[in-house]
Amino acid sequence: MHPNQGNWASQWYAGKKVVITGGSSGIGASVARAFLDAGAEVIATGVSSADIEAARQRSNLEGAQLRVLDVRNGPAVSDLFAGLDRLDILVNCAGVIQRGAELDPAVFEAVVDINLNGTMRCCAAARPLLAAGKGAAIVNLASMLSIFGGGMVPGYSASKGGISQLTKSLAIAYGPDDIRVNAVAPGWIATPLTADLQADPARTAQIMSRSVIKRWGEPEDIANGALYLCSPVARFVTGTTLVIDGGYSVG
């Protein structure tokens, strides 16, 4: 358990049912662990059977229900949510980045389909379940590249910019159903997706020179943001993107 998680959040999440797409690794797995530590019933998805099997070998997801879900597959998304009896929270972490390759329009399209369209598919499928409860919440995973461009990742950047706008739009659309919709925008977080950058001293120095807080972020930093946005403490917060980047965007 991360020192900032679990005890303080259990007052809000004990017995709640949470679905976390892309919850089998990286930031998604940390979000899943945070909700588990707070007493929630967690369903975490991964894109393939191999992905799920790898997650089973890691102790950090002990207690979660692990399911295969490719967010590109509309019928599979519908089936997952149709099989649930209730739902309180949806966190959309499923995503992909293909540095350099995204300059190819076909790769660009594939990245946007996973990151942006996949998020919309899950939100739409989950909406009836969330609306049946009281005070439900959705958190989408944006990025600091929702703010900046990324010359090597145009698909990722475009999809994450779209996530911020989708979050605003769904906050309006879902508000009458008592569903709050927000997003978190991570900065430079130490995950397998950034392993190559972390191993590059020159690139790390460049990143740290701009960051106000001189370290790589941890996945738990993003999980704490999700815990806040889904909680009653944030009951008047909807349609916002919470930037969690150690001050990189203002440095």
Side-chain angles (χ1 to χ4, degrees):
M1 182 187 301
H2 189 276
N4 292 332
Q5 295 168 354
N7 293 338
W8 63 270
S10 60
Q11 60 186 307
W12 302 318
Y13 298 118
K16 297 292 187 180
K17 181 171 282 190
V18 184
V19 167
I20 300 162
T21 69
S24 60
S25 63
I27 288 173
S30 184
V31 173
R33 184 71 260 164
F35 278 104
L36 285 166
D37 287 343
E41 179 184 347
V42 172
I43 299 166
T45 75
V47 71
S48 67
S49 297
D51 193 36
I52 292 300
E53 185 55 37
R56 291 190 199 283
Q57 305 305 313
R58 297 190 295 268
S59 61
N60 65 325
L61 286 176
E62 184 178 356
Q65 301 176 45
L66 299 175
R67 308 273 186 88
V68 174
L69 180 67
D70 185 338
V71 297
R72 295 171 295 185
N73 186 330
V77 170
S78 296
D79 287 348
L80 173 73
F81 290 100
L84 303 180
D85 60 341
R86 61 185 178 87
L87 184 64
D88 300 293
I89 293 164
L90 169 65
V91 184
N92 287 300
C93 294
V96 66
I97 189 169
Q98 300 287 334
R99 292 183 180 87
E102 294 177 21
L103 292 163
D104 180 329
V107 179
F108 177 99
E109 182 179 1
V111 169
V112 171
D113 192 33
I114 294 169
N115 295 356
L116 180 57
N117 298 345
T119 294
M120 180 59 194
R121 290 182 190 105
C122 292
C123 288
R127 182 182 183 180
L129 280 171
L130 293 168
K134 183 178 180 181
I138 296 172
V139 171
N140 299 320
L141 196 67
S143 167
M144 64 181 172
L145 289 176
S146 302
I147 304 168
F148 303 113
M152 297 298 288
V153 288
Y156 185 84
S157 300
S159 66
K160 294 303 184 176
I163 288 290
S164 286
Q165 293 303 319
L166 176 65
T167 296
K168 294 175 185 178
S169 298
L170 293 186
I172 298 167
Y174 292 7
D177 292 332
D178 196 21
I179 302 170
R180 295 184 301 105
V181 186
N182 291 292
V184 291
W188 297 103
I189 308 300
T191 69
L193 282 178
T194 59
D196 290 345
L197 296 177
Q198 295 172 62
D200 184 339
R203 190 70 178 99
T204 293
Q206 184 182 34
I207 292 168
M208 291 304 108
S209 70
R210 178 163 178 165
S211 297
V212 176
I213 299 175
K214 304 297 183 183
R215 66 168 177 85
W216 284 81
E218 300 175 8
E220 291 85 2
D221 296 321
I222 310 307
N224 282 330
L227 288 176
Y228 160 69
L229 288 171
C230 294
S231 77
V233 173
R235 65 186 183 181
F236 202 54
V237 180
T238 195
T240 194
T241 296
L242 176 62
V243 178
I244 307 175
D245 68 350
Y248 185 89
S249 59
V250 298

